[in-house]
Amino acid sequence: MTDFLVNKFIKDSTNIESTEVRTRYGMLTSVVGIFCNVLLFSVKLTIGLILSSLAVTADAFNNLSDAASSIISFIGVKMAGKPADAEHPFGHGRIEYIAALIVSFLVIEVGFTFFKSSISKILHPEEISFDLVPFVILILSILVKLWMAFFNNKLGKRIDSKVMLATAADSLGDVITTSATVLSIIICHFTSINVDAIAGLIVSAIVIWSGISIAKDTLEPLIGERVPAELYQKITDIVESYDGIVGTHDLIVHNYGPNRSMATIHAEVPNDINIDVSHEIIDKIERDVKKDLNILLVIHMDPVEMRDEEVLSLREKTSRIVHALDPELNFHDFRVLKENEQRNLIFDLVIPDSYSEKDANRVMHQLVSLLHEMDENVECIITLDRSFEAPES
């Protein structure tokens, strides 16, 4: 059914890098969610009124409120698909994260509501009666919600949509809560043991935790997260694959929504190559990365010494000392300024995330001392730096 709907309503569905295609995916899942929830509301409300069942009627309005998640998703995806304008030069993609955050709060709210209801049932136990029609409706509701969770989760992962994954979690939360109710009814009917309230407490905790997890995953790109190791390596490999580039460092990727990223990187070029030649290489890399990865890449060019034997020797000695202090240390932007007999070593020292400020200052002072012991004419100008790459999972 999922593939049928995608092929039927989404043109060029495999081109998920396209903003228009992603918007169509989001609109499809939102419309399906609204339709299913309104359908469940209509059926449950009709049967609830016919049977004068307060429980079924209340569950009907719960489904109507669930439609709000789909409406929020629809609005969020639609607004996120808007192109860049004068006020928002990087587009509106982050609105999708905000929509997902709102949905996560709805999931948490459902969990807290279920939690309060369970506490109330523990303090004031209610007898659970088995009624075939409402029971069948609950089973059908579980099946529909389970399919909706699968539908949103599958397509959300396909296009890496936070809001669709949040909606999937919302539907799955309904599946869990309703399943717990069904299980409680069955146990109570056959054993006369009322486990409804206890099951409710467990389920509410699961739903609340699910909502918090969604909120956390959604907040990370809004706050600013590290470059995923895979993407870091991919961009680095591409830039370093070009003739005339001898190394890279300081890659930073800024996320402005799914498929909307810009990045900056420092590329090392030989200092004896004509600057116009290096500049043309840099321009070509930026164009190719934009075409291949859909990332606006800005490259800062760092000239490095490739021939001066004294500079190369000092760099090699510095490298040995740095790695002897800690194999996790690294350095870049190594330059030497010569003033008569004095040699000023200028470089950035990259320290691990585990280092505190005290650790960083300690190791820097040790490095300065060791380099001065190596050559009393050496003075150091060191800038502390950290990597923006996320650790491999």
Side-chain angles (χ1 to χ4, degrees):
M1 176 61 77
T2 300
D3 291 333
F4 169 77
L5 290 173
V6 169
N7 294 329
K8 183 72 174 177
F9 295 104
I10 300 180
K11 182 181 178 182
D12 196 18
S13 61
T14 58
N15 185 21
I16 59 175
E17 299 297 326
S18 167
T19 300
E20 291 183 5
V21 173
R22 291 191 84 263
T23 301
R24 293 191 198 112
Y25 268 100
M27 293 179 67
L28 173 63
T29 56
S30 299
V31 170
V32 168
I34 293 170
F35 174 80
C36 289
N37 280 307
V38 170
L39 178 63
L40 286 172
F41 165 74
S42 301
V43 172
K44 290 180 180 179
L45 180 63
T46 301
I47 296 175
L49 293 175
I50 292 173
L51 298 177
S52 297
S53 172
L54 183 61
V56 176
T57 303
D59 200 33
F61 281 96
N62 179 51
N63 285 127
L64 187 62
S65 66
D66 289 339
S69 297
S70 298
I71 294 172
I72 292 169
S73 298
F74 182 89
I75 296 172
V77 170
K78 189 70 175 175
M79 293 181 68
K82 290 174 59 181
D85 54 32
E87 290 77 22
H88 309 93
F90 298 104
H92 301 75
R94 285 180 176 172
I95 292 178
E96 184 172 325
Y97 299 147
I98 297 173
L101 188 61
I102 295 172
V103 172
S104 72
F105 288 145
L106 292 177
V107 174
I108 294 172
E109 191 272 335
V110 169
F112 273 116
T113 300
F114 207 54
F115 179 82
K116 290 189 293 183
S117 175
S118 300
I119 293 294
S120 177
K121 288 182 179 180
I122 290 176
L123 297 176
H124 310 286
E126 299 175 3
E127 184 179 348
I128 300 178
S129 60
F130 181 86
D131 204 339
L132 183 61
V133 175
F135 185 80
V136 171
I137 293 173
L138 289 176
I139 297 296
L140 292 175
S141 178
I142 289 172
L143 294 176
V144 172
K145 284 290 188 175
L146 189 61
W147 178 81
M148 289 174 62
F150 171 80
F151 179 71
N152 280 281
N153 187 66
K154 181 177 181 180
L155 298 189
K157 286 183 176 179
R158 182 178 297 181
I159 66 170
D160 189 26
S161 170
K162 301 287 186 184
V163 69
M164 287 164 64
L165 292 174
T167 305
D170 186 27
S171 296
L172 189 59
D174 288 336
V175 170
I176 295 172
T177 55
T178 308
S179 297
T181 301
V182 169
L183 184 62
S184 299
I185 292 173
I186 293 174
I187 293 174
C188 184
H189 179 68
F190 288 102
T191 67
S192 299
I193 300 175
N194 192 339
V195 297
D196 186 45
I198 302 300
L201 282 177
I202 296 172
V203 170
S204 65
I206 295 172
V207 173
I208 292 170
W209 178 252
S210 174
I212 292 173
S213 298
I214 298 168
K216 179 178 177 294
D217 291 342
T218 305
L219 280 171
E220 285 181 352
L222 284 173
I223 295 172
E225 56 188 343
R226 287 183 178 274
V227 187
E230 183 180 352
L231 180 60
Y232 191 102
Q233 194 62 48
K234 182 182 293 186
I235 296 175
T236 299
D237 288 345
I238 290 175
V239 176
E240 293 182 357
S241 68
Y242 287 76
D243 291 336
I245 304 296
V246 297
T248 60
H249 55 268
D250 284 349
L251 170 61
I252 305 174
V253 178
H254 303 276
N255 182 292
Y256 292 94
N259 295 341
R260 293 177 176 86
S261 296
M262 70 168 294
T264 58
I265 192 172
H266 289 220
E268 299 171 353
V269 299
N271 66 349
D272 57 352
I273 300 296
N274 186 291
I275 190 171
D276 289 333
V277 174
S278 294
H279 188 269
E280 181 58 35
I281 295 171
I282 295 297
D283 280 350
K284 177 173 173 52
I285 298 172
E286 291 174 341
R287 290 193 299 269
D288 290 349
V289 169
K290 176 62 177 175
K291 179 182 177 182
D292 297 338
L293 300 182
N294 193 31
I295 293 176
L296 177 62
L297 180 64
V298 178
I299 302 178
H300 174 79
M301 189 165 58
D302 283 336
V304 294
E305 181 60 58
M306 302 295 291
R307 297 181 183 276
D308 190 311
E309 293 296 333
E310 182 182 9
V311 174
L312 296 179
S313 175
L314 285 170
R315 184 162 62 195
E316 175 60 28
K317 291 175 182 177
T318 301
S319 177
R320 288 201 299 268
I321 293 173
V322 166
H323 291 108
L325 283 172
D326 188 339
E328 292 189 33
L329 292 172
N330 210 335
F331 69 98
H332 56 71
D333 278 343
F334 185 89
R335 305 185 302 282
V336 177
L337 293 183
K338 304 176 183 179
E339 297 179 4
N340 299 322
E341 294 298 318
Q342 183 174 312
R343 298 293 181 263
N344 293 324
L345 307 189
I346 307 171
F347 59 91
D348 293 355
L349 181 66
V350 185
I351 59 175
D353 288 323
S354 58
Y355 272 39
S356 65
E357 184 177 351
K358 182 179 179 180
D359 294 330
N361 290 327
R362 173 184 52 77
V363 78
M364 186 170 69
H365 289 140
Q366 288 177 335
L367 178 58
V368 170
S369 177
L370 290 171
L371 287 171
H372 192 67
E373 286 181 16
M374 173 192 73
D375 188 337
E376 61 181 13
N377 293 320
V378 163
E379 297 294 334
C380 299
I381 302 175
I382 303 174
T383 301
L384 291 176
D385 197 5
R386 294 182 186 269
S387 173
F388 295 97
E389 177 186 7
E392 295 187 14
S393 56

